[in-house]
Structures are given as C-alpha cells and as structure tokens.
Amino acid sequence: MKVTFFSTKPYDRDFFDRFNRSFGFELEYFETHLGPHIVNAVDGATAICAFVNDKLNAEVLRVLAGKGVRYIALRSAGFNNVDLDAAKKHGFRICRVPAYSPEAVAEHALAMIQTLNRKTHKAYNRVREHNFALNGLMGFNIHGKTIGIMGTGNIGRAFARIMRGFGCTLIAYDVQESEELKAFGVQYLPLNEVFAQSDVLSLHVPLLESTRHMVNADTLKHMKPGVMIINTSRGGLIDSPAVLEGLRSKHIGYLGIDVYEQEDKLFFRDLSHTIIDDDTIQLLMSFPNVLVTGHQAFFTAEALEEIAVTTLQNLSRLQQGLEPENPAAIVV
Ligand code: NAD
C-alpha cells in the first residue's frame, strides 16, 4: 500500500522509515502542507498521512476520494483540521494517534510555567555576559498555588500527576470527570470558578466549537489579576486580541503558548530571514512575560516513536479490514 505523507520534516522520515521496515508500506513524503494547492500531486496512494496544519477540508477530501484514497492517518491526537461531514460523505476511514506520550506535552507545559516563573531564559543570557545580578528574576513558589486544569483527558491527567508533586491545590473543569484525579484530591469546579480561582491556568481541552476562544475578553474578567495562562492545546482556544489587551492592562501576568491560532503560516519552518506578516504574534513576542514555542510540546523521541508505530499499526489494521486496536484511534 502506498502512503503519501504531508508536512514532513527530516525527523518524521527518520522515525517512519525506521519503523516501516516491519510493515513494508511504500512511503512517499511531501514537505509541503496538504491543501488545495498540492492535493492533485497525490498519485496512486491508498492512504494519506497528515499532521496538525494540513487542511482536510471538503475540497481536498473530494479530490482525494476521486484519486482512490481510502484511509487518512492523522499523526496527531487532534482532528480539528478535518471536515468530518465531508469525510463521512466520501466514506473515508480516518485514524489518529489518540495518546502518544501525553507526558511529553504535560512536561512541556510545566517547562513553560517554570521558564516564565523563574525566568531561566533570561538568566541563561545574563550569566553568559557575566551579569550575575538577580534584579528582575524574582519568581514565586508553585507550592501552595492553585493550578486550574482545563480538560482532564490524557494530557490534562498527566499534567495533574506532575503538578501534584509540587504541593499545589489542583482544580479542574471537564465535561467528564476523572475518578483517578478525584482520588488524589483534584477538585472539579464549574468553568467560571476554575477561571476565578486559578493562579496558573493550563489548557488541555480539544479545539471544538464549544471550546473555541474559551479564553476571551469576558472570561478574562473572571480571572485573578496576575494569572498565568498556558496553552499547549490548540491556538483557537484563545482569542489573541483579547489576551493582548489583558497583557497590556497587566491583568494577565504571564502567557505561555505552544500553539497559536494562525500558526499554520508560521510554525514548523525557519522564517529567520523573512518579515513576519502577523502583527499579533509580533506584539505577543514583544512582551517580556510572554513565552512562545513553535508547537514543540509533543516533540520528544518517545512521542515520535509512538506516533510512527501507532500510525503504521492503524493503517495496517485498516488495510486488513480490522479496526485499530485502540477504539479511540478511529475518528470516522
Ligand atoms: P483527550 O481527548 O484525552 O482529552 C480531552 C479532554 O477534554 C477530555 O477529557 C474531554 O472530556 C474534555 N473536553 C472535551 N470537550 C470539552 C469541553 N467543551 N469542555 C471541557 N472539557 C472538554 O485529549 P488529550 O490527548 O489530552 O489532548 C488534548 C489536546 O491537546 C488535543 O486535542 C490537542 O489539541 C492538544 N495536543 C497538543 C500537542 C502539542 O504538541 N502542543 C500535542 C498533542 C495534543
């Protein structure tokens, strides 16, 4: 079976080539993201393998169906980039990697919290210039603070397990409560209460119509002055202009984002010789209390191995007319 990949980087190829030895698929790699501009290049593939910023809209799916593609393997957990109605209409089977090392993302959320808090990025630059002064580097103890977890699925639960070790108060909001978290003292509260009580708010819900812009001008009003907001989930959870305003007014004390609503034009590429035509991200990056990383929370060796193996297993089972071993891997 031929599988055509989009949005691939050298590290994707390394991992997929290595683990494909035991599957024997024909793998074709495109570096560009999938969209109407490239979809006609698909030739002879039964499956497509796509990543977070590939656009699987109705137009792209129609062309793929016409070319005989039957399976779409998302090498991500999120599937907000797929038009599910169009996918069902064309009879695609779509699989994903529901939980590839949730710890990778949860640990990155913690890295963002502690970088913003203890300013290690600034200390690193200072001491290289032999500036050992501490002015401006003061942080706060995580111990005793209230951490709000929005979404307690695989990643939110991994994050809760980590934060538990700091001795903080853990509160959470999810449409489905986790017995595991309740057993070690996580308190589920209504959405606005989590906003109101959190010193640090970490977003781990998927991007859905019900969660889009959950951090907006209205919800910001409920939050504590000085709140730290961490988003390692999807950019669309945050209304960026409202957050910019919150930073300007100092209502938001710190912002850490690994994802950005307009990231598809920026992330996963080297734009160091280009003028960035996005005033919002430029402004965000100009704040000393904002940390932006380029969708790297998942990026550990363990996670890349898990992504490659699960994606190839999913495709192998679909090809044999079987369901993926993990039912959560099926999108449609
Ligand atoms: P998951 O499906 O295990 O958990 C999502 C949780 O959100 C579930 O418990 C669900 O009940 C809850 N939820 C759904 N709708 C909700 C709503 N309206 N309000 C409150 N809670 C709601 O997903 P996960 O593996 O924990 O991943 C979470 C998200 O993290 C993914 O959707 C993806 O967007 C993002 N992610 C980011 C990276 C990265 O590199 N930055 C990597 C992997 C995943």
Side-chain angles (χ1 to χ4, degrees):
M1 178 165 81
K2 180 172 173 183
V3 188
T4 299
F5 284 61
F6 289 90
S7 300
T8 53
K9 301 287 176 202
Y11 47 81
D12 295 309
R13 290 172 215 161
D14 283 352
F15 278 85
F16 274 94
D17 284 344
R18 191 177 336 145
F19 291 101
N20 186 44
R21 284 185 206 124
S22 45
F23 291 90
F25 294 128
E26 181 191 345
L27 307 185
E28 175 186 44
Y29 297 113
F30 283 112
E31 203 172 316
T32 177
H33 68 274
L34 175 57
H37 66 292
I38 187 76
V39 65
N40 274 305
V42 172
D43 184 18
T46 309
I48 289 294
C49 185
F51 195 47
V52 290
N53 291 324
D54 290 319
K55 295 250 176 315
L56 291 143
N57 59 19
E59 163 66 4
V60 167
L61 292 170
R62 184 184 61 75
V63 177
L64 289 177
K67 285 177 171 284
V69 172
R70 295 175 57 204
Y71 311 121
I72 296 173
L74 302 171
R75 46 183 203 284
S76 61
F79 49 87
N80 52 286
N81 51 337
V82 185
D83 182 329
L84 294 180
D85 291 335
K88 281 184 209 150
K89 187 177 112 193
H90 293 295
F92 283 112
R93 297 304 315 274
I94 304 187
C95 54
R96 63 176 184 136
V97 188
Y100 53 90
S101 186
E103 288 76 16
V105 181
E107 288 172 15
H108 190 75
L110 171 65
M112 298 194 96
I113 292 171
Q114 286 296 63
T115 304
L116 284 165
N117 171 21
R118 304 306 293 266
K119 301 165 184 65
T120 41
H121 55 316
K122 294 188 182 173
Y124 175 81
N125 287 323
R126 269 192 199 188
V127 297
R128 282 165 70 88
E129 298 198 352
H130 302 170
N131 175 358
F132 300 100
L134 299 183
N135 295 336
L137 297 183
M138 191 164 65
F140 57 85
N141 284 10
I142 299 284
H143 182 86
K145 295 294 179 297
T146 299
I147 313 294
I149 308 169
M150 284 293 172
T152 52
N154 291 301
I155 296 171
R157 288 198 305 279
F159 178 72
R161 287 192 289 267
I162 294 170
M163 298 315 291
R164 183 185 176 200
F166 279 81
C168 31
T169 302
L170 296 176
I171 57 174
Y173 173 75
D174 195 303
V175 287
Q176 252 185 311
E177 301 187 355
S178 153
E179 294 308 317
E180 176 206 345
L181 296 202
K182 284 203 275 192
F184 68 70
V186 175
Q187 192 189 1
Y188 280 90
L189 293 173
L191 184 66
N192 280 341
E193 270 309 301
V194 176
F195 285 139
Q197 293 186 26
S198 299
D199 296 302
V200 176
L201 182 72
S202 196
L203 307 181
H204 301 289
V205 289
L207 178 61
L208 306 165
E209 272 323 301
S210 56
T211 59
R212 185 177 296 279
H213 290 183
M214 73 187 311
V215 174
N216 58 43
D218 273 343
T219 54
L220 276 168
K221 283 186 203 143
H222 293 279
M223 295 186 203
K224 281 187 181 174
V227 62
M228 180 188 286
I229 301 172
I230 302 292
N231 187 7
T232 55
S233 188
R234 283 291 179 268
L237 298 180
I238 285 184
D239 177 1
S240 303
V243 161
L244 264 178
E245 205 35 58
L247 285 160
R248 272 202 200 97
S249 68
K250 302 198 174 68
H251 189 88
I252 298 175
Y254 312 82
L255 175 73
I257 52 171
D258 184 54
V259 285
Y260 171 60
E261 199 164 10
Q262 274 75 42
E263 69 176 49
D264 57 336
K265 297 188 207 88
L266 304 171
F267 287 5
F268 304 116
R269 53 192 98 148
D270 179 359
L271 300 178
S272 50
H273 298 290
T274 323
I275 292 168
I276 304 285
D277 186 18
D278 182 326
D279 292 347
T280 307
I281 194 91
Q282 294 279 43
L283 268 171
L284 282 172
M285 290 190 299
S286 71
F287 284 89
N289 51 348
V290 173
L291 175 65
V292 180
T293 54
H295 208 138
Q296 71 172 84
F298 74 99
F299 198 52
T300 66
E302 290 81 356
L304 289 187
E305 176 173 337
E306 187 68 32
I307 289 169
V309 172
T310 307
T311 302
L312 294 167
Q313 277 170 350
N314 287 344
L315 283 172
S316 170
R317 288 185 70 90
L318 287 176
Q319 187 191 21
Q320 294 170 60
L322 303 168
E323 293 295 298
E325 272 171 33
N326 180 352
I330 279 294
V331 178
V332 292

